[in-house]
Amino acid sequence: MPVIGFHNSHEQVHPAALLDAVRHAEDVGFTAAMCSDHLTPWNPRQGESGFAWSWLGAAMATTSLPFGAVNAPGQRYHPVIVAQAIATLGAMFPGRFWVALGSGEAMNEHITGDKWPRKDVRDARLLECVAVIRALLAGEEVSHDGLVTVDRAKVYTLPEQQPALIAPAVSVATARNGAAWADGLVTINQPHDKLREMIAAYRDAGGQGTLALQVHVSWDPDPDRALGIAHDQWRSNVFPPPLCWDLDSPEAFEQASAHVTPEGVTEAVRVSADLGRHTAWLQEYLDLGFDQIYLHHVGVEQRAFLDAFGEHVLPQLGVTAPAPAVAVQR
């Protein structure tokens, strides 16, 4: 059975509403969840920035879903703090947490006042952070002098089962490089040929573990409204690297996207009022070899999307929610 999860966008939805949404996602049949970790929304209309790690504790305590999060250690977050956060969630919720570790975006990282490094430097910094985090999760005391500095750090509360460290990638080169250290690969919806190339690059370089895909979707019974939602909320997210890495504020993304048409957003978001069409798109991604798909409805309101996909899309993909192993207090 494929894993079809619900992506929780902290940039768009108030954390209390997002907590209600992920609980409802489990109720209607979604079998996993993941979330972003932003300080800043992509554009002023999104307007939220809940702290992912606080929210994850509440979400994991009040659902039985496995969860993932996307994080960028090295500038806004010191890798020792990231390791402690991973360890605590892993200790509290054994086998239910993974984290995708990336090189970050200027919009979130510039707030430290440090220079935004070149991509090759960011990639090197990420490798140092991954090594530090893995050593700490293994119970070692770590000192390190490099692009990040660590002085005699040790994490005392450790999980019995180490959470998976996943490589997030939007390019073939990043997917290939991630094979050297990652326990799996996660990417976003892109043209099928590009996704095939990324999977091949990761596997051919020795990459192991789960292949996961985050799919941006916009659904509404009214096709014009479905397109309008996508254009309003996600037109600032159509730019390929390096622009999406280097713009440093919601206002900059807003200005860059001023001339993006509604139709232009459909290159980044699967937009349709037809639930059968959404089902077919998702089946195509499964056929490419992805083990897990996380659906991100780019609208602010989530319940109608969750109800519609839970009733009409998940069953067509063979997804049935297992009974929780333990009772969960809500």
Side-chain angles (χ1 to χ4, degrees), residues 37-49:
D37 181 1
H38 274 239
L39 182 72
T40 303
W42 294 98
N43 62 61
R45 292 178 312 284
Q46 292 180 347
E48 297 289 347
S49 62

Side-chain angles (χ1 to χ4, degrees), residues 57-74:
M60 296 184 76
T62 56
T63 71
S64 61
L65 297 173
F67 272 80
V70 182
N71 177 266

Side-chain angles (χ1 to χ4, degrees), residues 35-303:
C35 76
S36 55
D37 181 1
H38 274 239
L39 182 72
T40 303
W42 294 98
N43 62 61
R45 292 178 312 284
Q46 292 180 347
E48 297 289 347
S49 62
F51 186 55
W53 296 94
S54 300
W55 182 88
L56 280 163
M60 296 184 76
T62 56
T63 71
S64 61
L65 297 173
F67 272 80
V70 182
N71 177 266
Q75 190 158 330
R76 180 168 53 118
Y77 286 103
H78 194 281
V80 175
I81 302 303
V82 175
Q84 185 184 29
I86 294 169
T88 296
L89 288 178
M92 293 175 68
F93 308 106
R96 287 178 53 200
F97 184 63
W98 56 267
V99 60
L101 299 174
S103 59
E105 294 123 350
M107 62 185 295
N108 293 308
E109 309 305 320
H110 76 87
I111 55 96
T112 64
D114 295 332
K115 177 182 177 181
W116 180 234
R118 299 187 313 270
K119 183 63 166 72
D120 62 314
V121 177
R122 301 199 306 271
D123 287 345
R125 182 173 66 183
L126 174 62
L127 290 178
E128 292 186 18
C129 289
V130 169
V132 167
I133 291 168
R134 282 205 183 277
L136 290 168
L137 292 177
E140 299 175 20
E141 180 180 281
V142 176
S143 293
H144 178 84
D145 294 293
L147 294 169
V148 293
T149 300
V150 180
D151 179 39
R152 295 168 296 164
K154 185 177 177 67
V155 173
Y156 286 86
T157 299
L158 296 171
E160 293 185 7
Q161 177 182 343
Q162 286 199 23
L165 306 184
I166 305 297
V170 295
S171 72
V172 174
T174 302
R176 183 181 297 111
N177 293 339
W181 62 265
D183 301 315
L185 177 73
V186 61
T187 186
I188 59 174
N189 55 288
Q190 301 183 71
H192 286 10
D193 287 346
K194 174 77 172 294
L195 292 173
R196 290 189 189 95
E197 192 176 357
M198 290 180 66
I199 292 171
Y202 180 73
R203 292 300 194 205
D204 291 348
Q208 303 294 313
T210 296
L211 298 175
L213 181 71
Q214 182 190 112
V215 180
H216 306 300
V217 305
S218 184
W219 172 83
D220 190 271
D222 181 336
D224 291 335
R225 179 167 167 75
L227 184 59
I229 289 170
H231 185 246
D232 176 68
Q233 285 290 299
W234 216 246
R235 65 176 179 265
S236 53
N237 295 69
V238 301
F239 307 114
L243 188 63
C244 61
W245 295 332
D246 293 338
L247 294 177
D248 64 2
S249 70
E251 292 74 22
F253 275 93
E254 182 79 345
Q255 184 174 359
S257 62
H259 301 292
V260 175
T261 65
E263 290 71 23
V265 180
T266 61
E267 297 178 11
V269 182
R270 291 299 204 177
V271 180
S272 181
D274 182 351
L275 292 168
R277 188 73 188 98
H278 282 286
T279 303
W281 279 327
L282 297 176
Q283 185 61 58
E284 290 171 3
Y285 292 128
L286 292 171
D287 292 342
L288 289 176
F290 287 100
D291 307 296
Q292 302 181 7
I293 294 178
Y294 293 86
L295 302 183
H296 170 213
H297 174 55
V298 299
V300 173
E301 299 299 328
Q302 298 291 318
R303 184 164 287 249

